[in-house]
Amino acid sequence: MELVFRPRRLRRREAIRKMVRETVLRPEDFIYPMFAAPGQKVKQEIEAMPGISRLSPDLLVEEAKAAYDLGVPAVLLFGLPLKKDETGSDAANPRGTVQQAVRALKKALPDLVVITDVCLCAYTSHGHCGIVHRGEIDNDATLEVLSEVALSHAEAGADMVAPSDMMDGRVGAIREALDERGFEMVAILSYAVKYASSFYGPFREAAESAPQFGDRRGYQMDPANSREAILEASLDVEEGADIIMVKPAMPYLDIISQLAGEFDQPIAAYQVSGEYAMIKAAAQKGWLDEQAVMLESLTSIKRAGADVILTYFAKDAAALAAKS
Ligand code: PBG
């Protein structure tokens, strides 16, 4: 038998494999999600997310600096409120936790890209991402509140806002509100394609944002749908989204790939809390090699078409990417 093609020739040595490698992770690929807590010197570990804590703004700056020094260019901030109420009013408080953290970060690390999550679920007493009216989410009333929240983040100095609520029309509403107030250069990273996923479990513990009644399937997408992802992304792009995100990441690689083929905007993918927790838990049991699985999962997300990846592994991944 005469074999003409022997793909193994290019796999023989690491130097050759490296030369023909299609996807290479860089520290610049990562965005580090962080949880801002009220107070000072506060560090509360999150049980289902080993290595991740809620941090008061002073300690959050230190942690962001550690990531920045490893080459991570951006953080995404979630806030824990001082108080929760029906309308999530603390979300737009100029002296709120996120707003304070943004100011502290911008002062200490002016070149760090600061992105803020815009949503109400951590701020409402019922835990939903919108204003509830007679047991239903009032989409259009929510848009006004979200616009106020985004404005308060821009005023604090955020470089980008990232609406994660999945209300219809929110990108357009936020874009208009920002432009009217002179924030036309603040970018929108939209959670364009956000599935109603069970992989958000550990995050809801971290952000204390689990819904107190019902679930999020009335606004987040059905995991069974892919054409709808194109529709959602198209709407967000028409409304002015600068970057479009798919979330979660690894269970939805097909969606990342489709969007990358269809749109010219950069694609972001969010490796969510449950994806992180699964790898951490299996590694703690000695069942998986944490570093190897982390890098393989992140490489697969980039290979599928993601330009940037939001991941709780950002620091470790950047350190390893810089060395490879
Ligand atoms: C808020 C929000 C969620 C996540 C990001 N923004 C949770 C949710 O929709 O319930 C999940 C992030 C993660 O799991 O890491 N709307």
Side-chain angles (χ1 to χ4, degrees):
M1 184 179 62
E2 204 180 298
L3 276 179
V4 176
F5 292 109
R6 289 182 184 273
R8 288 187 52 215
R9 287 179 196 124
L10 299 184
R11 294 181 201 142
R12 260 177 82 216
R13 285 173 35 213
E14 176 56 13
I16 303 176
R17 288 193 294 270
K18 212 169 163 179
M19 196 168 74
V20 299
R21 188 159 293 148
E22 298 173 34
T23 307
V24 180
L25 296 171
R26 309 169 309 155
E28 296 80 13
D29 295 335
F30 306 119
I31 298 174
Y32 189 23
M34 305 183 80
F35 300 95
Q40 270 204 345
K41 300 265 170 270
V42 176
K43 176 175 177 170
Q44 297 161 339
E45 289 174 14
I46 300 157
E47 202 189 326
M49 299 172 73
I52 304 295
S53 303
R54 300 184 200 132
L55 301 169
S56 53
D58 50 332
L59 298 186
L60 191 137
V61 167
E62 283 175 28
E63 177 70 0
K65 181 165 188 322
Y68 185 73
D69 288 344
L70 289 163
V72 176
V75 297
L76 169 71
L77 294 185
F78 295 96
L80 289 132
L82 299 163
K83 65 167 177 63
K84 295 182 193 248
D85 59 22
E86 272 289 303
T87 57
S89 59
D90 201 43
N93 178 355
R95 274 187 275 285
T97 316
V98 167
Q99 293 82 353
Q100 280 185 36
V102 171
R103 279 190 225 103
L105 283 170
K106 275 291 160 190
K107 197 167 163 208
L109 303 163
D111 293 330
L112 178 77
V113 180
V114 177
I115 311 170
T116 54
D117 186 89
V118 174
C119 196
L120 299 182
C121 58
Y123 299 87
T124 49
S125 41
H126 44 72
H128 278 287
C129 303
I131 303 298
V132 175
H133 197 218
R134 293 204 191 105
E136 287 258 5
I137 311 285
D138 184 337
N139 189 92
D140 298 10
T142 303
L143 300 185
E144 286 171 37
V145 182
L146 291 169
S147 301
E148 291 300 317
V149 176
L151 266 176
S152 76
H153 294 173
E155 273 158 7
D159 298 288
M160 287 187 202
V161 292
S164 69
D165 51 283
M166 288 302 275
M167 295 300 122
D168 293 332
R170 86 265 201 234
V171 172
I174 291 172
R175 183 72 273 158
E176 201 180 301
L178 290 173
D179 289 357
E180 265 174 24
R181 297 279 281 272
F183 294 110
E184 53 280 295
M185 295 308 282
V186 171
I188 298 180
L189 189 170
S190 102
Y191 287 69
V193 182
K194 179 173 179 182
Y195 286 95
S197 171
S198 300
F199 286 96
Y200 306 150
F203 173 95
R204 292 183 185 169
E205 173 204 328
E208 295 172 350
S209 65
Q212 300 302 303
F213 68 89
D215 54 44
R216 301 211 204 290
R217 286 181 291 182
Y219 38 104
Q220 299 180 349
M221 277 180 53
D222 185 336
N225 293 354
S226 75
R227 279 180 297 159
E228 193 186 355
I230 304 287
L231 172 64
E232 278 286 2
S234 306
L235 290 169
D236 283 11
V237 165
E238 276 169 34
E239 292 174 31
D242 298 282
I243 302 178
I244 46 182
M245 191 205 292
V246 175
K247 177 183 176 199
M250 218 158 70
Y252 298 91
L253 293 180
D254 56 326
I255 308 298
I256 297 173
S257 170
Q258 281 186 56
L259 256 58
E262 195 90 17
F263 294 92
D264 297 326
Q265 281 70 17
I267 309 291
Y270 198 146
Q271 182 178 53
V272 300
S273 55
E275 297 178 74
Y276 176 81
M278 285 197 302
I279 295 174
K280 281 283 182 185
Q284 277 181 358
K285 283 198 164 252
W287 292 351
L288 284 177
D289 175 337
E290 177 172 335
Q291 279 194 358
V293 172
M294 167 186 83
L295 290 176
E296 187 174 332
S297 67
L298 294 168
T299 302
S300 70
I301 294 165
K302 186 168 178 182
R303 189 197 63 234
D307 300 288
V308 282
I309 305 172
L310 296 98
T311 175
Y312 302 99
F313 285 118
K315 279 197 304 174
D316 290 350
L320 289 170
K323 269 192 266 166
S324 72

